[in-house]
Amino acid sequence: MKAVVMAGGEGTRLRPMTANQPKPLLPIINRPIMEHVLRLLKRHGFTETVVTVQFLAALIRNYFGDGDELGMTLHYATEEVPLGTAGSVKNAADKLRDDRFLVISGDALTDIDLTDMLRFHRENRALVTIGLKRVPNPLEFGIIIVDESGRIQRFLEKPTWGQVFSDTVNTGIYIMEPSVLDEIAPGQSVDWSSDIFPEMLERGCRLFGYVAEGYWEDVGTHESYLKAQADVLEGKVKVDFDAFELAPGVWAAEGASVDPEAVLKGPLYIGDYAKVEAGAELREYTVLGSNAVVKEGAFLHRAVVSDNVYVGPAAHLRGCVIGKNTDVMTGARIEENAVVGDECVIEAEAYVSSGVKIYPFKTIEAGTVVNTSVIWESRGQRSLFGPRGVSGLVNVEITPELCVRLASAYATTLRKGDTVVTSRDASRAARALKRAVISALNSSAINVVDLEAAALPVARFNTSRENVRGGIALRTTSGDPQSVDIVFMDETGADLSQAAQRKLERVFSRQEYRRAFPGEIAELTFPARAVDTYARELLACIDMSGVKDTEMKVVVDCAGGTSSLVLPSLLGRAGVDVLTVNNRLDDASPTETLAERRRDLQRLAELVASARAAFGVRFDPVGERVSLVDEMGQLISEERALLVVLDLVAAERRGGRVALPVTTTRVAEMVCRFHGVQVDWTATSLDTLTRAARHPDTIFAGDGRGGFIVPEFAPTVDGLAVFLRLLGLVARTRLSLSQIDARIPEAKLLKRTVPTPWAHKGAVMRSVVEAAEGHRLDTTDGVRVVEDDGSWALVLPDPAEAVTHLWAEGHDMDTAQALLERWAHVVEQAAGAH
């Protein structure tokens, strides 16, 4: 039986360590990861192996040769272009036709029992057996669900937290029968998990999952690379390394020279012919490569130092990685998570800050403080995008420098010569930061149409115009005047999809930004009639019949925001009597606190009641979301406002579809059913709601947080559009908002948030699925458990914070409360027990 080792990966997330060597050759305790994999194969009797190579293939061939030194026979299958995980194995098909074979990644460290996995495969007469492992954070891997016998039920590649329903992930280790190769078309780029296996599962093929007990670490990031080194030193993984134990946990290879006056605190490893001088201090989890030299007074803790590195007197290395043939001179300091590439020189007293990456062949001059990467840089965090775009404190987290890098990354995802719309709210911070965005776009050969201060719906509308490829809007974070959000839009004016966000994040983290040549610097223009065009198009799309006949009066609060720039163009043509308040831009207070918002809503309610208006509307400062007050001067909650507007739209249309997030009360379904309208339930992210709103039959969409979509105008959240639509609906129905609210049943929906450490989220969702056995499950977003009587509970991990959200709805409050308590208990137990 043969094995296939996949060794074609570039390891882009590990740059600069992989800038000039393939990922499988990265050393773990001075042996390439792939050598550890080959030795594992040899221990389990796999002596004939096919190695698939693509990126820097010659380096892998030169290192391993024909495998004779390892007592194995190695064949190589070279890809001219990347073919994916399945395509690369198909490329080696002529060497695998006769018998079942094993596929394993050449860049993951593992000691999984392959012999037992083979036994499992034979006993189940499987066509494919996939090695599975439970991990704390399943976001970067493919999740796989198996039944009690181990048969695979479902695949999900690289999920969001809302899609996580297990912590059992695909290790990329497979045992296959040779007929599986017939599933793959030759020469095509296809992957096992996303292409081949799901198709086979649909046809009912015998696919099984083997949940492994051994060690497995996908060495895909700098953090996991350091963790793998530490795990070997701690004995958590069974691998071979040639060394003898000088003292408990202190391992030294052949020819290593350690002065008795050196301070060593294991576990640590000193490579062959390395030299540690008197007075040097090596602390836990340090790894020295072959021929490395550590001089007197140097301090190393959790540092991984490659071959032929010189560490000078009093140098200080902590939690960093140093590439081959690099010199770290006297008194230099390299901090946590910094990575220095091959053949660099860090001169005396230089300081390399935490997280900095220095690419190969660079010199850092003496005394320099380096706090950005050379030549490119990145910002290390769990996820660049949050629920409001890229957010952070002004001039602390969101700086002009960061804006330049973000805009450069965004520009790199577009073509030279494309056009992008930029806009901002009334704040001074957004005005200053937008200038950095514009200069970065122009410098990357992207033309900019700048709307200056503009309501966000106007920016989205102009972004969706012909010949525009995207947009960037800067706004003050709602409720936090110290922070700012950077909103990236696609060519439809909607927020970037999660796939597009990942693409932008990849460019940003690789730090490979495109720059224009001098003759390609792009143009900046300021359109003259952007607001008028928006207002004209909006009025042409919205049914305003009946408004002028009713002599309706409404009260509008602009919240000192950019909606005040648009309303004069709209209201003059709408034929309605309007009292407006806070209708001028306030650059000193571009957002409001919760207390200020409540105060202004109370004032709005009083004005509506005293003016005997039909209703009142308060826009958020960027004109995107609305709060409603009925004719009695009563504030309508966000959840009820969604139901009121939904009822009005459905009653008039009497057909079509509405898009609502799964967190919405099922009273919405009753309202729709009464009027002959169908509900499409979506995930909670705004991009999925806007995608659903593009369906030609969709008549309405709302997020339950004051955001409404008017599909006949645009598939994006627009407070100004829903205000106009509401004017027409109220005028024609001849019913007040309080009357409509009164005829809709009360929802019995409760919500709770449970703190959940990041490392436990996958285990929590697995526990929820296990506890819900026998119930109907909905995994549109998170896990929704439906009881026989129709009551339900939803468990949804937060994508940006260490919490899990729960919703529960019943026929009465007692049922909802009991459901909420029950599932909160499941989540709390799972979060605390793992």
Side-chain angles (χ1 to χ4, degrees), residues 253-281:
E254 180 186 357
S257 170
V258 181
D259 193 285
E261 297 298 313
V263 178
L264 307 178
K265 294 184 180 177
L268 58 85
Y269 177 89
I270 299 168
D272 48 309
Y273 302 103
K275 183 179 182 182
V276 182
E277 291 190 352
E281 183 174 355

Side-chain angles (χ1 to χ4, degrees), residues 146-395:
V146 295
D147 65 16
E148 290 177 358
S149 68
R151 190 152 185 174
I152 290 171
Q153 303 295 303
R154 185 174 174 192
F155 292 88
L156 185 63
E157 270 300 282
K158 295 197 175 175
T160 63
W161 270 120
Q163 297 169 313
V164 170
F165 42 78
S166 176
D167 59 349
T168 312
V169 304
N170 182 357
T171 64
I173 303 174
Y174 314 125
I175 296 174
M176 300 181 175
E177 297 302 312
S179 60
V180 175
L181 293 170
D182 298 331
E183 305 280 342
I184 310 164
Q188 290 190 10
S189 177
V190 285
D191 287 318
W192 293 116
S193 295
S194 55
D195 302 314
I196 304 302
F197 291 159
E199 288 178 14
M200 294 175 69
L201 190 65
E202 271 194 14
R203 299 204 313 271
C205 295
R206 292 183 66 81
L207 305 186
F208 280 75
Y210 171 82
V211 182
E213 292 298 329
Y215 179 93
W216 177 79
E217 180 70 35
D218 174 51
V219 185
T221 63
H222 297 110
E223 292 81 3
S224 61
Y225 180 69
L226 289 170
K227 180 179 182 296
Q229 307 271 7
D231 288 346
V232 172
L233 291 171
E234 283 194 321
K236 290 183 179 178
V237 51
K238 299 170 194 162
V239 297
D240 301 323
F241 58 92
D242 297 326
F244 55 94
E245 207 167 7
L246 286 178
V250 177
W251 299 89
E254 180 186 357
S257 170
V258 181
D259 193 285
E261 297 298 313
V263 178
L264 307 178
K265 294 184 180 177
L268 58 85
Y269 177 89
I270 299 168
D272 48 309
Y273 302 103
K275 183 179 182 182
V276 182
E277 291 190 352
E281 183 174 355
L282 272 56
R283 298 288 300 274
E284 298 90 338
Y285 308 120
T286 292
V287 176
L288 290 188
S290 301
N291 304 306
V293 175
V294 180
K295 303 295 282 184
E296 179 182 0
F299 175 88
L300 289 79
H301 185 205
R302 288 180 291 107
V304 176
V305 174
S306 301
D307 298 347
N308 306 309
V309 167
Y310 171 85
V311 181
H316 188 108
L317 279 60
R318 186 187 292 274
C320 57
V321 179
I322 310 297
K324 296 190 293 287
N325 305 312
T326 285
D327 295 334
V328 181
M329 309 307 283
T330 304
R333 289 179 67 95
I334 303 176
E335 295 292 355
E336 294 274 352
N337 299 317
V339 182
V340 179
D342 296 348
E343 302 197 45
C344 290
V345 178
I346 312 298
E347 292 185 350
E349 305 294 331
Y351 180 86
V352 179
S353 296
S354 174
V356 165
K357 297 177 179 67
I358 297 175
Y359 275 57
F361 314 112
K362 303 293 183 293
T363 297
I364 305 301
E365 294 180 358
T368 303
V369 175
V370 184
N371 51 30
T372 57
S373 296
V374 181
I375 292 171
W376 306 285
E377 61 182 327
S378 70
R379 177 172 179 244
Q381 57 185 50
R382 183 178 297 278
S383 176
L384 195 59
F385 283 86
R388 299 177 303 272
V390 180
S391 306
L393 289 166
V394 173
N395 277 344

